[in-house]
Amino acid sequence: MNTAQQLKTALLNINHKSYPAYKSVAGNYRFEEYVLGIDHVQGDPFASPSKVHLALEGKVAGFPGHLFDTTPKRIALQDYLTRRLGRELHKVSGKAGGSGKSGLIFLSQCGQEILERSCCEINPENGDLIIRLEIGFPANGRSINSPELIKILFDFLPVCVSRSLLCRRLPMEELLAVEALCEDQQFIRQELKRLSLSAFVANGAVLPRMSGISQLPLKHAVAFECPHSMEVTLTLPHRGSITGMGIPNGITLIVGGGFHGKSTLLNALEMGVYNHIAGDGREYVITDESAFKLRAEDSRYISNTDISLFIRNLPGKKDTVSFSTQDASGSTSQAANVVEGMESGARLFLIDEDTSATNFMIRDQLMQSVIADKEEPITPFISRVQALYEESGISSVIVAGSSGAYFHVADTVIQMKDYIPYDITEKAKTVARDFPALHTEGLTYELPTFQRCPLASGNLRDNDRTKMKVLGKDSIQINRTTVDLRYLEQLSDTEQLSGLAYLLTYGAKHYLRKGRTLTEIVDLLERQMEQKGLASLTDAPYLASNLARPRRQEIFACFNRCRDLVF
Ligand code: ADP
Ligand code: MG
């Protein structure tokens, strides 16, 4: 292995040379506390910055094993270190200068959710630590300014590392607090299963966010307060006793006037599949981690999905046992979303009336009398929601502001009033008795078939030179194919979309086979991420510096929306 001194000499030798001479310093170098890897050097100072990694041995980093002895705790520690290192790097980014991106230092930025990311990986066996980051190698015009890079690599980085990645230099009480919060959150997740709950929302939680463009907690928000009848008290291993609302498995309806906080509660449940950082306000809002938001998604792609549970006898005898379209309607898209959610193993569906197709959700008595059942291809969700729970064990939480139809089928009815929930189940049931329920006789519940096997076509098949691009949280592009992901509202970070782009490309290249189902493919991809980490999704693992792990549900959803996969 080269020494740091050799790197310094090499860098001084190429000072003032033309930019590509930087390529000669690619390689690994031994620094005092870590090995610095220069993995890819940018082509010019305006191009994407160079890829660099730091490798620290476990005994140097020195984190005690109990801080990362479970996967969630390891992810929480990685998240903490990323945030801490990010703050240190931020102080020195741009301090060394030049043209274009010279001197800028980039590390993944974490939001409110605690996600597994490729920028910081701890080896669970020995505590070895890998950090992946990007540095704009400095130049003046196109001529190398290596003393500035020396400043970054020899002055700035060692200080940042020692202030954020060496256990002995970190405040132990903060590390222990991260561990404790994670253990408490995981404890609640376990308790949900034991107590047959779909979600838990602690008293005092702050659900609303600052604005449509900020996920920070809203200041001066009305704190969450559980209705008496739904109170659940848990004894967390660290925090001790905590009381909040337990949403039981089954069918839960959230009703209430406009602007009283219904969607805010549902959104908090959507994001409760992830653990949140301390101070977020939703630290103790925990939802079954398989929960899947369902919504209408006009114009999405559907390939050979069995939506006959909801839609049959379409005009023109279009097949719905194996339904395909390049341009779905509101109701067919939502039907496909349900079926694909089932295929992904979701145990809880989250639905907001505002973003649903009305004809998919309900069908009122009057309409049923005028248009005979046999002339209506749609069996609305309301006619299936009970069987979904009783036959398939899938619960639903539904926000309904304008239709009372679901009162008949709900097990629990919550009214949001001035942001506070009230249990109005009794009242709603009593009143509903005087209104006719939708009759659904003669309906049989047949599980859709999940034997769908995707094969790649077009752009995805020829992937020797794959170009990937992520457009915010809206979509990913693989070569010339765009996969629209904007309606997957539980994606919390653009890096998860990068992760999906890699999963799709890697999956298409290595795991697609004739006769292999989507479920088997996703199982293989998840197992690989578990065993070898996110960065293993590429042949050049040190280059994958900015991936976050998406959930199983979003991996399914991404594959299902890719127009270059035919099932
Ligand atoms: P609904 O879906 O019932 O129409 P929303 O959930 O969209 O209502 O909430 C309406 C507004 O109230 C939003 O701007 C939201 O940020 C705000 N809000 C929601 N919950 C709270 C709360 N607990 N405290 C303060 N403001 C809140
Ligand atoms: Mg709303």
Side-chain angles (χ1 to χ4, degrees), residues 161-191:
V161 167
S162 101
R163 284 188 184 160
S164 52
L165 302 177
L166 300 182
C167 186
R168 65 190 146 82
R169 301 285 307 272
L170 298 182
M172 199 45 165
E173 67 281 4
E174 281 187 23
L175 289 166
L176 292 176
V178 166
E179 179 188 34
L181 177 58
C182 179
E183 284 185 349
D184 282 351
Q185 290 167 333
Q186 293 309 113
F187 180 84
I188 300 176
R189 293 196 186 279
Q190 292 301 323
E191 288 291 274

Side-chain angles (χ1 to χ4, degrees), residues 294 310 334-343 349 360 381 388:
L294 292 177
F310 298 101
Q334 204 161 355
N337 289 351
V338 176
V339 174
E340 293 167 358
M342 294 168 77
E343 188 175 19
F349 286 143
F360 176 78
F381 190 75
L388 271 176

Side-chain angles (χ1 to χ4, degrees), residues 55-64 68 122-123 126-129 165 167:
L56 278 82
E57 277 181 49
K59 58 178 190 291
V60 176
F63 294 98
F68 57 91
I122 297 173
N123 182 333
N126 53 19
D128 285 358
L129 186 60
L165 302 177
C167 186

